[in-house]
Amino acid sequence: MSIFFDDKILQNLPKRVKVVVGIPSYNNAETISFVSKTAAEGIVEYCDSNGLIVNADGGSKDGTKEVFMKTDTKKVPKIAYDYIGLPGKGSAMLSVIELAKNLDAEAIVFLDSDLKSVRPWWIERLTGPIMKGLSDYVTPYYVRHKYDGTITNQVCYPLVTSLFGQAIRQPIGGDFGVGKNMIDVYLETASSVAKTDVAKFGIDIWMTTNAILNSNKKVYQAALGAKVHDPKDPGADLSPMFKQVVGTLFDIIVDSVSKWKDIESIEEAPIYGEIPQVAVEPININIENLKKQLLEGLKNEETKRLANDHLEIIMKEKKLPLQIWVDILFNTLTEYSKNKDKNLVESLVPLYFGRVADFAELTKDMNEVEAEKVIKDQINAFANKKDELMKKL
């Protein structure tokens, strides 16, 4: 009996498919048709039409599932259903993984339902390394605006790279390829994470770190060009996502010390395909709002305590320079390891806003290439804390 979907949906499905494209959604009626139509074109062109498109929905109120089912997907079958479990992206994606196992699929492609830049060839880029036996897991490699993906840039990318030794630029990118071996790995622990933040926005970092730690093949990165989607202003939208993603990453780091403590070098995860030369859409960032939320957050005693010796300079500058951010992040991670108190992660949020404000000011006159160098150079500051962290965990 399935955990994340009603088994009745299996009755009208093929017994076996080569590729399952999973599109998790919640109130995405305006964008899902384009994503599913493009996915169908990719399945026809690159998978001999041997696929299934799945819309795992969280009870949308805007007719997302109906719009999806009316979309012309050529001869590629499709299905839409409400997943079972905690409301969240993770429950939706775990239902697709479970469904793909039932259909003996060779690969899953996950696509965000708000994508405006997806192209049919993305299907090949995200499945190619799997079909060729090179990898069990493929992350996206995008060209992104310097202010898009702030949780990635200031936490996930440098932490994952410095501790786990694989430089994966978009560990929580949303658009992934998953092979059979990783489908089995995920399903082994799916029921135990079903009531955690993995069922929400923690899913991407959980999948990526599991692939790094539990696959005997390299993680690949698919060159997908620009990611154009409904972007989020860090100060306005990203607080719940930060808590769920960073809390999940902290859990994984603490629980898998034995697997990463002896990793001494950092390897660039191979990039599959040529990186397209594309322009990115501008993203507005409200620096003053970020600073305001930092100062507001510092009225909280726990946030103030995490700032510790750095409090005076943070209050004066109204932002967090890199080294201060890294010190606070690693100290919080050490403290978190003792009792996994999620309030610690929540208390980090205002300080994260201050870190983004500092980065935004530092890079405001830089182009994307120059800002990307700043982001990559940050890894050194994270890597320099690894030995100290290991002694404390």
Side-chain angles (χ1 to χ4, degrees):
M1 186 175 164
S2 303
I3 302 170
F4 297 99
F5 63 83
D6 188 330
D7 283 332
K8 287 177 190 163
I9 68 170
L10 294 169
Q11 291 167 7
N12 301 316
L13 295 181
K15 289 282 178 271
R16 195 159 188 260
V17 294
K18 187 175 185 182
V19 174
V20 170
V21 174
I23 308 173
S25 66
Y26 181 67
N27 291 341
N28 300 110
E30 289 186 15
T31 51
I32 197 163
S33 190
F34 173 69
V35 177
S36 47
K37 184 170 173 288
T38 307
E41 289 170 12
I43 291 170
V44 169
E45 188 169 348
Y46 299 102
C47 306
D48 299 323
S49 304
N50 186 355
L52 173 72
I53 306 173
V54 178
N55 172 213
D57 189 68
S60 294
K61 305 290 189 286
D62 66 348
T64 296
K65 293 200 303 289
E66 290 75 16
V67 169
F68 170 81
M69 289 307 293
K70 284 178 186 167
T71 302
D72 179 11
T73 54
K74 312 285 189 227
K75 47 193 166 181
V76 180
K78 58 184 176 291
I79 184 171
Y81 58 81
D82 290 338
Y83 58 78
I84 296 169
L86 287 181
K89 183 184 178 188
S91 295
M93 291 173 72
L94 288 167
S95 79
V96 174
I97 292 170
E98 198 174 28
L99 184 62
K101 175 69 175 175
N102 274 277
L103 300 174
D104 198 27
E106 291 177 40
I108 304 169
V109 170
F110 284 108
L111 297 174
D112 278 345
S113 51
D114 64 348
L115 279 170
K116 297 169 185 170
S117 55
V118 63
R119 297 293 178 263
W121 51 266
W122 282 30
I123 301 297
E124 196 281 325
R125 289 278 166 98
L126 288 165
T127 59
I130 295 165
M131 298 303 186
K132 292 172 181 174
L134 301 169
S135 180
D136 291 322
Y137 186 74
V138 184
T139 63
Y141 189 92
Y142 309 117
V143 180
R144 292 179 91 163
H145 187 274
K146 60 190 175 183
Y147 300 146
D148 192 13
T150 54
I151 298 174
T152 293
N153 295 344
Q154 302 306 326
V155 186
C156 295
Y157 170 51
L159 256 188
V160 168
T161 300
S162 59
L163 297 185
F164 298 153
Q166 282 200 46
I168 295 170
R169 186 62 187 87
Q170 301 292 339
I172 57 170
D175 310 305
F176 300 106
V178 181
K180 267 188 173 181
N181 290 342
M182 285 315 300
I183 289 172
D184 289 338
V185 169
Y186 296 140
L187 290 178
E188 277 171 23
T189 53
S191 58
S192 64
V193 297
K195 299 281 191 260
T196 71
D197 283 339
V198 172
K200 300 175 186 175
F201 283 122
I203 184 71
D204 289 1
I205 197 67
W206 179 79
M207 286 173 57
T208 299
T209 49
N210 258 292
I212 295 170
L213 297 170
N214 296 309
S215 173
N216 55 12
K217 294 178 184 172
K218 285 185 178 179
V219 172
Y220 265 62
Q221 304 180 91
L224 299 180
K227 174 157 190 163
V228 183
H229 62 132
D230 294 334
K232 297 169 175 64
D233 179 334
D237 301 316
L238 291 181
S239 180
M241 182 185 270
F242 180 93
K243 288 179 277 193
Q244 293 163 24
V245 171
V246 177
T248 301
L249 179 54
F250 276 15
D251 283 340
I252 291 159
I253 290 169
V254 171
D255 292 342
S256 62
V257 177
S258 62
K259 290 189 175 183
W260 59 259
K261 67 181 174 65
D262 295 327
I263 298 169
E264 292 178 354
S265 59
I266 293 173
E267 286 183 20
E268 287 284 335
I271 295 174
Y272 181 74
E274 195 174 321
I275 301 169
Q277 298 302 307
V278 288
V280 294
E281 288 194 350
I283 287 176
N284 296 319
I285 192 165
N286 188 334
I287 295 175
E288 288 312 306
N289 182 46
L290 289 166
K291 290 182 174 183
K292 181 180 161 194
Q293 295 220 50
L294 166 65
L295 296 179
E296 196 63 35
L298 283 167
K299 292 175 184 173
N300 175 290
E301 287 304 316
E302 189 72 345
T303 300
K304 198 182 285 186
R305 186 181 67 76
L306 293 179
N308 200 359
D309 301 342
H310 304 296
L311 183 61
E312 194 176 325
I313 190 165
I314 292 171
M315 296 289 281
K316 183 181 167 209
E317 300 280 337
K318 299 179 189 168
K319 57 186 182 179
L320 273 78
L322 175 63
Q323 196 55 56
I324 288 178
W325 169 240
V326 173
D327 286 349
I328 290 171
L329 193 64
F330 274 79
N331 288 341
T332 307
L333 175 52
T334 301
E335 189 177 339
Y336 182 85
S337 71
K338 295 176 173 59
N339 56 14
K340 295 192 175 177
D341 180 1
K342 295 289 180 191
N343 290 326
L344 284 170
V345 182
E346 188 160 356
S347 301
L348 267 178
V349 171
L351 299 165
Y352 150 73
F353 291 148
R355 173 65 205 131
V356 176
D358 180 74
F359 172 79
E361 285 194 341
L362 181 69
T363 58
K364 69 177 185 292
D365 297 322
M366 294 184 186
N367 62 30
E368 263 57 50
V369 173
E370 293 163 334
E372 181 66 15
K373 185 175 186 311
V374 173
I375 293 164
K376 289 193 169 176
D377 285 348
Q378 292 182 161
I379 288 169
N380 294 326
F382 281 74
N384 289 339
K385 298 287 282 186
K386 183 173 180 177
D387 285 347
E388 184 186 327
L389 177 68
M390 285 190 313
K391 287 170 189 164
K392 293 177 178 175
L393 291 185

